Amino acid sequence: MFEPSDVAYLSSEAGSTDLARASAYTFSAGTLVADTAALRTEFGDRAAVLAQTVQLRRKAAAKLGDVQDWLFTDDALQQATPAAVARHRAERLADRVVHDVTCSVGAELAALDGVAATVIGSDIDPVRTAMARHNIGRRVLICQADALAPSSRADVVIADPGRRSGGRRRFDPSAYSPPLDLVLRTYADRDLVVKCAPGLDFTDLREQTGFGGEIEVVSLDGGVREACLWSAGLARARRRATVLSTAGDGFQLTDADPDDCALAEAGEWIIDPDGAVVRAGLVRQYAARHGLWQLDPRIAYLSGDSVPAGVQGYRVLDALAYSEKRLRQALAARDCGSVEITVRGVDVDPAVLRTRMKLRGGVALSVVITRIGSDARAFVCAARSPGGTRTPGPRSA
């Protein structure tokens, strides 16, 4: 637990020197106890904050980029927006006056700086406010303030209510800090951007709060990272899926895109769309864009004769009515020794099912289990292949 005095020390010249010395320790699983003891001998009561800061900086590098001199708390780092996602959001706010009212340690401020016309940051937590000042410097005005007590006239407000406490996630938006409904009401007269957990029930959100803007679901490198609420003045659609990649390629879909796709039996490939597409309810739009079709209108799996670039697909080898016995026989017939199992719409635990298959062969395969209509179906597939592939192969019904 950091105190303001810890931040003052870590921000000082002496703290910087001590952090450089503490960085020589690896803090690996095998050396953690010994390293901590050695650090305590060398730095006494300062050892804990030095060790935490060194370890948090190492964790932050993959998520936030060049932050080797930044200060963090564990909860702040866990909730911090990945740099690529923050940059994407900042681009939509170019040349605006933006106030991040829950700025935490400054990840969003860093992305907005140089893009927005003016950037202001505030947070109710004095430790995080002090860390943000250290991390961002004098380029941005940063102050301590309650997000529910407006403290600027900025025309755009960003809020990222706390969804973690003591390392645990809060799933109920009324338990956010501050609560989501209060944030929406407090800034009802402003253009507002609110970062939320992607698992929110968006229908309930609209019904319970009256939110009428855009809901954007964002993924990065295949993992769904957040839902972002854009108020009516900033909205460009009702639903949006944004798929980002650190490699630089990505795409967006909205509910305004065409959604005319067929419903048919599985073709040569089965495709599982990116999680942002699924959570945003834009599976049909994705199918229409790539010439795919649905297996069932309620299930997110799609099928086609090729795999869109940038995703991986399952080439279908066998299709069968699902039962453990039939699946075990089908895998044994193909000399399967290891299997990836994905499931939608059927009450099956992939990890448990994998052990029950008792595989002894030498071939790696994939299995897709899904509900089609009222029936559970299993598709035995070749191991996943990258997008752009068009490989013919045998298939039996």
Side-chain angles (χ1 to χ4, degrees), residues 46-95:
R46 301 290 195 190
V49 295
L50 290 169
Q52 288 182 64
T53 299
V54 169
Q55 293 174 82
L56 289 170
R57 283 177 173 177
R58 290 171 181 170
K59 289 181 182 178
K63 187 176 189 179
L64 301 178
D66 184 13
V67 290
Q68 59 184 353
D69 296 325
W70 278 39
L71 301 178
F72 304 93
T73 68
D74 186 58
D75 280 350
L77 177 56
Q78 289 188 56
Q79 189 164 320
T81 305
V85 178
R87 287 194 298 269
H88 160 73
R89 182 163 30 250
E91 289 171 0
R92 288 185 63 170
L93 300 174
D95 301 322

Side-chain angles (χ1 to χ4, degrees), residues 111-396:
L112 288 163
D113 183 36
V115 177
T118 302
V119 183
I120 304 166
S122 62
D123 199 283
I124 197 170
D125 185 331
V127 169
R128 295 188 183 191
T129 302
M131 287 182 171
R133 288 195 187 103
H134 169 85
N135 297 341
I136 304 301
R138 298 179 179 276
R139 305 190 308 273
V140 172
L141 173 63
I142 299 172
C143 60
Q144 185 180 350
D146 185 343
L148 298 181
S151 55
S152 79
R153 296 181 181 178
D155 55 331
V156 179
V157 170
I158 291 181
D160 183 5
R163 299 182 299 282
R164 292 180 180 271
S165 179
R168 295 186 177 183
R169 294 182 181 180
R170 298 167 173 166
F171 295 99
D172 180 357
S174 66
Y176 287 3
S177 179
L180 177 57
D181 59 332
L182 294 184
V183 173
L184 294 175
R185 287 206 297 269
T186 299
Y187 297 101
D189 61 341
R190 311 266 194 109
D191 284 344
L192 177 65
V193 185
V194 186
K195 176 183 167 184
C196 301
L200 278 181
D201 186 317
F202 301 138
T203 300
D204 283 353
L205 170 69
R206 291 190 186 277
E207 291 177 351
Q208 294 175 13
T209 68
F211 178 74
E214 174 186 326
I215 298 176
E216 177 187 29
V217 183
V218 183
S219 70
L220 176 64
D221 293 335
V224 179
R225 296 306 182 107
E226 65 177 50
C228 188
L229 311 183
W230 299 82
S231 64
L234 296 170
R236 300 173 183 172
R238 187 170 175 82
R239 288 175 288 128
R240 180 185 304 272
T242 297
V243 177
L244 302 175
S245 168
T246 51
D249 54 339
F251 65 89
Q252 295 188 41
L253 283 169
T254 76
D255 56 316
D257 289 316
D259 68 349
D260 48 334
C261 72
L263 187 67
E265 291 290 325
E268 185 177 332
W269 294 89
I270 290 176
I271 295 96
D272 191 4
D274 185 273
V277 173
V278 177
R279 284 294 300 129
L282 298 172
V283 171
R284 289 180 58 86
Q285 285 82 354
Y286 182 84
R289 176 175 292 187
H290 295 288
L292 307 174
W293 58 87
Q294 289 184 292
L295 301 176
D296 183 283
R298 299 162 297 177
I299 299 295
Y301 287 131
L302 299 171
S303 189
D305 295 324
S306 62
V307 184
V311 299
Q312 292 189 324
Y314 302 93
R315 183 165 62 87
V316 178
L317 304 175
D318 294 301
L320 53 141
Y322 171 70
S323 75
E324 285 191 21
K325 180 179 179 180
R326 292 191 192 98
L327 181 58
R328 187 181 301 111
Q329 291 172 341
L331 293 175
R334 291 186 175 274
D335 192 35
C336 182
S338 63
V339 64
E340 173 195 20
I341 301 174
T342 61
V343 180
R344 286 190 189 276
V346 180
D347 186 16
V348 170
D349 184 328
V352 173
L353 179 61
R354 188 179 298 109
T355 62
R356 291 179 178 173
M357 292 296 98
K358 301 177 181 178
L359 304 173
R360 296 183 176 86
V363 178
L365 296 173
S366 296
V367 170
V368 175
I369 300 173
T370 187
R371 184 162 299 282
I372 299 179
S374 59
D375 300 322
R377 301 288 300 277
F379 297 90
V380 177
C381 305
R384 278 192 292 175
S385 300
T389 306
R390 190 181 182 89
T391 307
R395 175 178 170 227
S396 59

